[in-house]
Amino acid sequence: MPPEDSNEPSDERGDADSGDADQIIPGWSDRESTTLPEGDDEAAFALVGNETRAEIIRALGEARGQEGARPILSFSELHDAVDVDVVSSQFNYHLQQLLDYYVDQTEDGYRLRPEGSLVYRTIKAGTLSDRDSFGPLDVGFDCYYCGDPAEGVYDDGMFTVQCPGCETLYDLILVPPATLDPDDVDGLLHRIDQFNRHRRLAFNRDVCPMCANDVDTQFMTSEASPFDPVQPREVVVHQSCSHCGSQMYVGVGAAVIYDPGLVSFCFERGIDVTETPLWELEFAMTDRSVTVRSRDPWEVAVEVAVDGDTLELVVDDRLTVLERNYS
């Protein structure tokens, strides 16, 4: 079955006379479709830059819960659900501004469009409004350079994994704050690591995780990285999106973490690299096992050693695996 917010019809069919089919197929509206002018980002933001409109989107999102089709609320149900003290005429004005952009109107009432669902989830994640901070937290490993316990600190929307002794930076992760619970350290660290992995996996597959554009990948020296000298490396992998500007600086070991040969090599020896926090994998966090064979063109080897066995991956500057050598 296609995702709930896709534009592809579901295989499920409701009774056309009852309007169920219109409910199942996202984006269909009883109103004539209109669109914002192409590239008019300011107008799109302005539509939700009002407290009443933001609360309308929140109320429609809250009505859905965790399962089922997008609910339809009548005008009176929606007005009652919105926690803003405005008269019906003012409420209707703001509701009309959202129609066909973030909200659909049907014969029975109103429901979120897929774009409205995205705005609702951004609000709930606290990405734009919450300013939480906590830490330092024990992240479960000692610095690979000086031996001091590494720490995790969350501030300004970023979770930083760093050694307080020598200041080596191991990770810098952009993560929304609303569901982060510092009282559940193990659960928190697991979710942050896995949240970060889905972004890295997209980059490693040459797809921007923010806008689905192609990704540019290049190797650079450590001196060219904005994180030098707090991330001592032989070579840095820079992956970036030319459309939205999303980017990532990682080591070669972290960049090849999902290579099928590496995953199976480690798994057969008792290490699941898809579950072990990246900062607990020394080959992913340091360049001690990295050898630069050539810089023009780039050719880099990274060794992964487990229980006396070694896998050497050799990659080019597109992270294409040229060799897998076992010893």
Side-chain angles (χ1 to χ4, degrees):
M1 183 181 297
E4 60 187 9
D5 289 343
S6 75
N7 289 320
E8 295 297 325
S10 167
D11 288 338
E12 298 178 27
R13 293 290 185 265
D15 183 348
D17 292 335
S18 68
D20 289 345
D22 190 39
Q23 165 71 3
I24 291 172
I25 302 174
W28 281 25
S29 172
D30 295 336
R31 294 166 56 88
E32 182 179 351
S33 178
T34 58
T35 58
L36 290 168
E38 184 177 355
D40 196 348
D41 299 328
E42 292 183 3
F45 277 107
L47 286 174
V48 292
N50 171 276
E51 180 184 9
T52 300
R53 297 175 199 172
E55 286 300 320
I56 288 172
I57 291 175
R58 183 194 296 272
L60 288 170
E62 296 286 358
R64 180 171 194 172
Q66 293 180 275
E67 60 185 39
R70 290 170 294 154
I72 296 176
L73 299 185
S74 68
F75 180 88
S76 59
E77 289 172 332
L78 182 56
H79 189 215
D80 291 343
V82 171
D83 188 21
V84 176
D85 186 17
V86 294
V87 298
S88 294
S89 59
Q90 290 178 327
F91 181 83
N92 184 57
Y93 167 77
H94 291 297
L95 177 58
Q96 294 299 313
Q97 300 305 302
L98 296 173
L99 293 185
D100 294 320
Y101 305 126
Y102 298 114
V103 175
D104 271 341
Q105 182 178 10
T106 74
E107 292 181 356
D108 299 319
Y110 304 89
R111 65 165 182 248
L112 281 182
R113 290 181 55 82
E115 299 91 337
S117 295
L118 180 61
V119 172
Y120 167 72
R121 291 164 189 159
T122 302
I123 292 172
K124 289 294 289 182
T127 304
L128 304 178
S129 57
D130 293 356
R131 292 293 180 268
D132 291 346
S133 62
F134 55 79
L137 304 177
D138 181 0
V139 292
F141 77 100
D142 294 334
C143 176
Y144 298 114
Y145 295 96
C146 74
D148 284 359
E151 296 178 341
V153 174
Y154 185 78
D155 193 28
D156 288 335
M158 304 292 292
F159 187 75
T160 304
V161 180
Q162 191 168 19
C163 172
C166 66
E167 298 186 343
T168 296
L169 177 66
Y170 289 102
D171 225 334
L172 190 63
I173 305 166
L174 179 65
V175 56
T179 63
L180 302 183
D181 180 7
D183 293 330
D184 178 19
V185 175
D186 290 342
L188 172 71
L189 295 178
H190 173 75
R191 292 198 307 278
I192 289 178
D193 176 66
Q194 293 298 319
F195 182 86
N196 190 35
R197 282 172 179 267
H198 93 273
R199 181 168 178 261
R200 286 188 169 179
L201 181 59
F203 270 115
N204 290 350
R205 297 294 187 265
D206 291 325
V207 177
C208 176
M210 304 304 295
C211 71
N213 189 37
D214 292 331
V215 167
D216 297 320
T217 299
Q218 64 172 326
F219 283 12
M220 60 176 57
T221 62
S222 179
E223 293 79 10
S225 165
F227 299 106
D228 181 69
V230 293
Q231 279 190 335
R233 297 197 182 278
E234 288 290 320
V235 60
V236 176
V237 180
H238 179 226
Q239 296 168 297
S240 61
C241 173
S242 61
H243 180 70
C244 72
S246 183
Q247 58 183 314
M248 181 175 292
Y249 295 84
V250 296
V252 179
V256 299
I257 193 72
Y258 285 106
D259 172 74
L262 187 154
V263 172
S264 61
F265 172 82
C266 292
F267 189 77
E268 290 167 0
R269 291 157 181 80
I271 299 176
D272 185 353
V273 296
T274 69
E275 285 291 331
T276 304
L278 283 174
W279 47 78
E280 294 183 16
L281 300 170
E282 184 175 1
F283 74 85
M285 291 290 102
T286 77
D287 273 8
R288 288 176 173 172
S289 58
V290 170
T291 302
V292 178
R293 292 186 173 184
S294 170
R295 295 180 184 270
D296 188 18
W298 281 99
E299 188 173 296
V300 179
V302 56
E303 287 189 353
V304 181
V306 183
D307 294 339
D309 298 325
T310 301
L311 167 63
E312 180 190 58
L313 294 179
V314 181
V315 299
D316 62 14
D317 59 359
R318 292 293 303 166
L319 294 176
T320 301
V321 177
L322 305 177
E323 301 175 26
R324 292 186 183 90
N325 303 313
Y326 298 87
S327 61

